[in-house]
């Protein structure tokens, strides 16, 4: 798991040259109701942020469009695209954008 807190100290919030998008899992693990996700982008970028089950089926799309540079936070309420409650299990949040893909494991307990 990646934590929202940085693992190193930094002088400023700017990204290092050439760094790509990052996806971070925020909050308690495993999540019981809401899952916090943070997207960090070095520049304004078109992205797609979605949650998938362990079989690779898309459960819900959280973002599909341009996001500004910097940090943007999202909440997944544990529901699928139709609004039904997703069951307990391991899910994966995946961020695609700027020619890169990153993902984090999202354990959910009901």
């Amino acid at each position: 798991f990646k934590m929202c807190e940085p693992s190193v100290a930094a002088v400023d919030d700017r990204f290092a040259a050439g760094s790509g998008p990052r996806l971070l899992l925020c909050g308690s693990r495993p999540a019981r109701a809401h899952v916090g996700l943070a997207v960090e982008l070095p520049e304004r970028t078109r992205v797609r942020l979605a949650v998938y089950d362990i079989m690779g089926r898309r459960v819900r799309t959280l973002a599909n469009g341009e996001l500004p540079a910097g940090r943007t936070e999202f909440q997944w309420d544990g529901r699928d695209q139709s609004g039904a409650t997703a069951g307990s299990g391991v899910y994966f949040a995946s961020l695609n954008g700027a020619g890169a893909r990153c993902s984090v494991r999202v354990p959910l307990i009901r």
Side-chain angles (χ1 to χ4, degrees), residues 36-91:
L37 297 162
V39 174
E40 294 180 351
L41 300 171
E43 60 189 18
R44 185 172 188 82
T45 306
R46 180 168 176 76
V47 300
R48 181 177 185 171
L49 174 61
V51 177
Y52 296 87
D53 65 15
I54 60 170
M55 298 299 292
R57 296 176 293 222
R58 187 175 55 233
V59 175
R60 181 135 178 219
T61 300
L62 301 176
N64 190 15
E66 280 195 359
L67 293 180
R71 184 181 180 112
T72 305
E73 295 189 3
F74 294 89
Q75 291 283 322
W76 177 45
D77 60 4
R79 297 185 181 276
D80 66 16
Q81 204 68 31
S82 66
T85 302
S88 294
V90 176
Y91 295 86

Side-chain angles (χ1 to χ4, degrees), residues 83-109:
T85 302
S88 294
V90 176
Y91 295 86
F92 295 90
S94 178
L95 176 69
N96 292 302
R101 181 177 181 180
C102 49
S103 60
V104 293
R105 188 169 38 156
V106 180
L108 184 66
I109 294 178

